[in-house]
Amino acid sequence: MLFEEMQAHYNVFCPPRESILENLRNLPVGAEILVAKNDRIVGFAAFSGIFPGPGLQPGLFLKELFVSKSQRRTGIGKQLIKALGALCLERGFSRIDWTADCNDAQLLDFYDSLGASRMQDKLFYRVDGHALKKMTSETN
């Protein structure tokens, strides 16, 4: 399954297959997934609508773009991004935002080749695990 390959790629825990399928059946409101397949699923783009953005315009946030290692450099990633761009325009949205791993030169080259701009003025934050529990339990 592609999700297991993705988790291995990121070197992180992968839940059992049934748990993955259950989460897919119960996606959070607003979460969407574009899928690329031939005889099996070979890539996907997971995204959500966001608001507001520059000029108080809606946009899309690309949470994950993943293509199976065996299918990379075949144009699938570009096709997924182009389909996401078409969906963005179709919905009247103004932009697509995403994050990228700073140490993956091949990935950064791919995004640069699309004409995307690196936003040096933004910093990505995350709160999870113990810090999330601590933050939500603090009284203030």
Side-chain angles (χ1 to χ4, degrees), residues 76-104:
I76 290 171
K78 189 170 188 174
Q79 289 172 353
L80 283 165
I81 290 284
K82 287 177 76 172
L84 188 60
L87 187 63
C88 185
L89 294 175
E90 177 183 305
R91 293 181 181 180
F93 293 177
S94 64
R95 72 193 188 290
I96 303 170
D97 292 327
W98 66 88
T99 62
D101 292 335
C102 298
N103 58 353
D104 189 336

Side-chain angles (χ1 to χ4, degrees), residues 13-28:
F13 168 76
C14 186
R17 180 181 175 89
E18 188 51 45
S19 179
I20 295 169
L21 294 174
E22 181 67 21
N23 287 336
L24 286 169
R25 285 189 288 272
N26 297 300
L27 288 177

Side-chain angles (χ1 to χ4, degrees), residues 9 13 16 30 36 41-44 59 90 102 105 109 115 120 123-124 132 139:
H9 173 79
F13 168 76
I41 296 175
V42 295
F44 70 93
E90 177 183 305
C102 298
D109 287 345
Q120 302 297 332
L123 183 60
F124 180 66
L132 178 61
T139 57

Side-chain angles (χ1 to χ4, degrees), residues 1-139:
M1 180 180 238
L2 188 65
F3 291 110
E4 286 117 351
E5 183 182 343
M6 179 184 74
Q7 295 302 90
H9 173 79
Y10 291 124
N11 197 28
V12 296
F13 168 76
C14 186
R17 180 181 175 89
E18 188 51 45
S19 179
I20 295 169
L21 294 174
E22 181 67 21
N23 287 336
L24 286 169
R25 285 189 288 272
N26 297 300
L27 288 177
V29 174
E32 298 179 67
I33 301 175
L34 290 176
V35 175
K37 62 183 182 174
N38 45 37
D39 58 328
R40 62 184 174 85
I41 296 175
V42 295
F44 70 93
F47 63 97
S48 296
I50 53 175
F51 183 85
L56 297 176
Q57 297 293 309
L60 293 177
F61 185 81
L62 175 62
K63 172 59 182 99
E64 188 70 50
L65 176 68
F66 189 80
V67 175
S68 176
K69 187 172 186 174
S70 67
Q71 299 296 309
R72 292 185 191 146
R73 297 188 175 270
T74 65
I76 290 171
K78 189 170 188 174
Q79 289 172 353
L80 283 165
I81 290 284
K82 287 177 76 172
L84 188 60
L87 187 63
C88 185
L89 294 175
E90 177 183 305
R91 293 181 181 180
F93 293 177
S94 64
R95 72 193 188 290
I96 303 170
D97 292 327
W98 66 88
T99 62
D101 292 335
C102 298
N103 58 353
D104 189 336
Q106 185 176 342
L107 178 67
L108 298 177
D109 287 345
F110 169 68
Y111 288 144
D112 289 343
S113 76
L114 298 172
S117 300
R118 294 186 189 190
M119 305 304 294
Q120 302 297 332
D121 59 333
K122 301 289 181 188
L123 183 60
F124 180 66
Y125 280 91
R126 173 176 295 142
V127 61
D128 61 2
H130 177 72
L132 178 61
K133 291 175 185 173
K134 182 178 182 222
M135 178 187 72
T136 57
S137 67
E138 290 177 351
T139 57

